[in-house]
Amino acid sequence: MADTANKARRQMAVRIFSETRKHWAQQNWYQRFEEIIVVVLSIIVAIVILVAVLNLVLTLYNMLRFNILDASHPAAFQAVFGMIMIVIIALEFNHTILGQLERGLGVVHVRAVVLIALLAVLRKFIVTEIGEADADLLFALSASTIALGAVYWAIRQQDHTMRSRQPEGE
């Protein structure tokens, strides 16, 4: 199953870069500049993802080796899930960046940025020891979550409204 997913990702990357190469001559200098930056950023984020996964694997190995990963150590679980969330956030971020090449749009979708921000705030909730956190931090995280959720909902509603106004042929 993992081989199928990796093969699909490779095919998507090859398709994206071949389309970019095909449309290169039709683009102005700024569109070319954006595409170069997107490719460089996606490579950098891919390196960060690899480092984060290696760090996660090494941390899990050490926790298992020293018998730290058990139900009596909730801080260990928080650390592991915090690292997993970092990988998920980075993957979503890289997916958003690569989507720019695939869709050929010059702007990052606000919905994706809000979703990534929401994931980052939720990660902070996961790694924060609630009993030791002060009320100001918890209030700020809660307010951020509610605000980002409301923005995400509003953007989604606007997308649904715009789609329902379009004729079926488009």
Side-chain angles (χ1 to χ4, degrees):
M1 184 152 181
D3 291 336
T4 306
N6 287 336
K7 186 177 178 182
R9 284 189 201 113
R10 278 194 299 269
Q11 288 174 344
M12 182 183 81
V14 168
R15 184 176 45 83
I16 289 171
F17 291 120
S18 67
E19 287 176 11
T20 299
R21 202 174 34 237
K22 184 172 67 174
H23 297 295
W24 187 263
Q26 301 163 353
Q27 295 175 333
N28 63 32
W29 68 270
Y30 188 76
Q31 290 169 325
R32 291 177 184 172
F33 171 76
E34 277 185 345
E35 291 209 10
I36 290 169
I37 296 300
V38 166
V39 169
V40 170
L41 283 176
S42 72
I43 291 169
I44 291 170
V45 173
I47 292 169
V48 169
I49 291 168
L50 286 174
V51 170
V53 168
L54 287 175
N55 185 34
L56 174 63
V57 169
L58 287 174
T59 301
L60 278 174
Y61 171 75
N62 286 330
M63 287 178 151
L64 291 172
R65 190 174 72 172
F66 295 117
N67 200 24
I68 297 173
L69 192 62
D70 63 14
S72 64
H73 293 96
F77 283 107
Q78 285 178 313
V80 169
F81 284 114
M83 288 187 273
I84 290 170
M85 288 295 292
I86 287 173
V87 173
I88 291 170
I89 291 167
L91 285 170
E92 183 61 34
F93 190 66
N94 202 30
H95 179 74
T96 302
I97 291 171
L98 286 175
Q100 295 308 109
L101 285 178
E102 186 176 358
R103 290 185 293 271
L105 301 174
V107 295
V108 176
H109 282 264
V110 175
R111 185 185 335 178
V113 173
V114 171
L115 181 62
I116 292 167
L118 188 57
L119 284 171
V121 172
L122 293 176
R123 180 204 168 272
K124 184 66 175 171
F125 261 122
I126 289 172
V127 299
T128 300
E129 183 62 42
I130 299 297
E132 298 173 8
D134 63 348
D136 290 340
L137 174 65
L138 294 176
F139 178 76
L141 289 173
S142 300
S144 298
T145 303
I146 291 169
L148 288 167
V151 169
Y152 187 80
W153 176 82
I155 292 169
R156 206 176 104 227
Q157 288 301 109
Q158 182 182 18
D159 287 348
H160 286 299
T161 304
M162 290 175 66
R163 279 192 209 120
S164 66
R165 290 182 184 167
Q166 289 179 348
E168 282 190 33
E170 290 182 26

